[in-house]
Amino acid sequence: MVLLAALLPASAAHAAVTSATATVFAPNPVQALGRQDLTDAKDADLPEFAAAYRRVTLTDLDGSGKLAGRYVVVKSSTGKAATLSGGAFPDWHRDADQFEQVMGYYWVTTAQHYLQHLGFGSTLRPVNQRQIQLRIDQYGGDNSFLREDKANITLGKGGVDDAEDAEVIVHEYGHSVQDGQVTGFGTTLESGAIGEAFGDYLAVAVTSWATGVPTLTPEACVADWDSVSYTARTPHCLRRLDGTKHYPEDVVGEVHADGEIWSRALWDIRTALGDTKATTLIVEAQFAFTPDITFAAAARATVDAAQRLYGPAAAQAARAAFTARGLLP
C-alpha cells in the first residue's frame, strides 16, 4: 500500500487506502492486564495502561482518510476527527479523543466480521450489513444507547468513557443487530430484557473470538473496564452471563436486571454447543422474533432454530438451557 501511494498523485493515493493500522484496547485494559485496581483518572494515559494497547488493522475503510467505511461511520463532538497520516492512523492513546473514535470503528467492524465468520451474508441471511453512525462523546452521562429511528449508536462519556471498552461498543451493536433483523425490536419488558441480554452475550462472544478467551478475568464478566466507575466489588462487572436468576421469581421489572435470566440461558447453550454453533442458532432465531416477543416464544424460536440448523441434540441442549431458567416447561 505504501509503495502504491508513492506512485500515485496525492489525491489518488489517499483514496486508495481501504485498510490502515491503528491503536486500540483489545478488548479493554482490565481484561488485557488482569488488573482490578485500574481507574479512569480523568482519561490520563498512566504508565500502567501501556501494555494494554494493541496495534491492529482497520479494514473496510471507504478511502476518504477518515473513520468511515462499509459498516460504520464515526462521528464525534470532541476533538479533531481521526484522519490518516502517512497511510496509517497515529498511535493515539486514551488521553486523545481520537483513540475512542478508532475504538468505535474497529470494534463495530470486528463485530460484523464475527457475524460473517458464522456464515451470515454467505450461507445464511445477512445480518446488519448496513452502515451505521457511531456517535462518540455526544452524551455526557454514563450511558450508551441505540436510536432505532435513525439506526445510530451513541456512546456516552461519563465515568470511563464508554468507547474505551470494546464490550460496551459491541453490546450496543447487538441492539443494532436485533433492530436490523426485527425493526423496532424490544417494545415490552420481556423483549427489552432479551435485547439487553443478547447485547451482553454478543459482547463476550465477539471479544473472545477477536482477542482470545480471557485468562486473567472471568469470560462471563461483561464490560469489566467501563464498570470500574460504578462497582465496588471485584471483579468489576457491568453484568455477568453466568448468574443464577430464574423465571418468574427473579423478575424485577427492569430490562437489564431481567435480561440476566435470558443471557444465562444463552451462556449455557454456548457452553453446551461451542461458540460457533450456539451464536449461529441464537442469531438465526432472532429473524423469527417480533418486537414484543415473550421469553417463552423467543425460547421456542431458538429451540426451533437449533433443530433446523443442527438437529435434535442441539435442540435438546437449547431446550435444557431455557428449562433450567424457567423459560420453558
Side-chain angles (χ1 to χ4, degrees):
M1 193 65 68
V2 174
L3 291 175
L4 176 63
L7 298 174
L8 295 174
S11 59
H14 189 61
V17 178
T18 56
S19 64
T21 57
T23 299
V24 299
F25 284 145
N28 65 51
V30 174
Q31 278 194 39
L33 305 177
R35 293 188 56 169
Q36 299 291 333
D37 62 335
L38 296 174
T39 60
D40 180 59
K42 298 182 178 180
D43 291 345
D45 187 33
L46 301 176
E48 49 262 43
F49 292 101
Y53 294 109
R54 295 289 182 272
R55 199 71 179 161
V56 297
T57 300
L58 308 187
T59 64
D60 302 285
L61 294 163
D62 66 3
S64 66
K66 300 178 181 180
L67 290 173
R70 183 173 180 182
Y71 305 114
V72 58
V73 57
V74 174
K75 296 182 178 294
S76 178
S77 63
T78 59
K80 294 182 179 179
T83 56
L84 281 169
S85 177
F89 288 95
D91 185 27
W92 292 300
H93 286 187
R94 65 183 302 264
D95 56 343
D97 295 315
Q98 293 87 351
F99 175 75
E100 293 170 31
Q101 298 171 32
V102 170
M103 280 284 291
Y105 184 93
Y106 176 74
W107 282 105
V108 166
T109 303
T110 297
Q112 177 54 224
H113 286 174
Y114 170 75
L115 293 169
Q116 292 179 25
H117 142 80
L118 298 176
F120 292 102
S122 53
T123 57
L124 298 166
R125 287 171 283 185
V127 171
N128 215 39
Q129 290 187 14
R130 56 182 174 174
Q131 185 191 67
I132 65 166
Q133 289 188 357
L134 187 66
R135 299 183 178 277
I136 295 174
D137 292 343
Q138 295 187 12
Y139 178 74
D142 192 8
N143 192 23
S144 296
F145 48 87
L146 170 76
R147 283 194 61 181
E148 294 91 344
D149 60 328
K150 295 185 180 296
N152 66 44
I153 292 171
T154 295
L155 299 173
K157 59 180 178 179
V160 172
D161 295 341
D162 285 358
E164 284 192 28
D165 194 324
E167 292 188 336
V168 176
I169 298 167
V170 179
H171 170 95
E172 296 305 328
Y173 190 69
H175 290 304
S176 181
V177 167
Q178 287 183 316
D179 178 71
Q181 292 180 281
V182 181
T183 302
F185 181 81
T187 59
T188 61
L189 176 62
E190 291 193 1
S191 60
I194 289 169
E196 297 301 333
F198 175 70
D200 285 352
Y201 174 89
L202 188 67
V204 169
V206 168
T207 55
S208 288
W209 174 73
T211 66
V213 175
T215 59
L216 303 176
T217 58
E219 185 185 20
C221 177
V222 181
D224 28 15
W225 170 222
D226 180 71
S227 60
V228 302
S229 295
Y230 47 80
T231 59
R233 294 176 59 184
T234 56
H236 297 285
C237 305
L238 169 62
R239 287 175 292 276
R240 293 185 67 116
L241 302 182
D242 58 355
T244 60
K245 291 182 179 180
H246 190 271
Y247 186 86
E249 62 271 23
D250 289 321
V251 170
V252 298
E254 197 281 320
V255 292
H256 300 87
D258 294 349
E260 290 183 295
I261 302 172
W262 185 263
S263 65
R264 173 58 192 270
L266 302 186
W267 180 252
D268 287 346
I269 296 171
R270 185 172 181 263
T271 300
L273 300 179
D275 181 75
T276 297
K277 286 186 177 180
T279 310
T280 302
L281 72 88
I282 287 165
V283 175
E284 175 66 20
Q286 292 177 165
F287 282 112
F289 288 7
T290 58
D292 60 349
I293 199 166
T294 64
F295 281 141
R300 289 192 295 269
T302 306
V303 173
D304 289 345
Q307 173 71 41
R308 186 171 65 254
L309 290 174
Y310 302 117
Q316 179 53 39
R319 177 172 291 279
F322 290 121
T323 299
R325 295 300 104 211
L327 300 173
L328 287 177

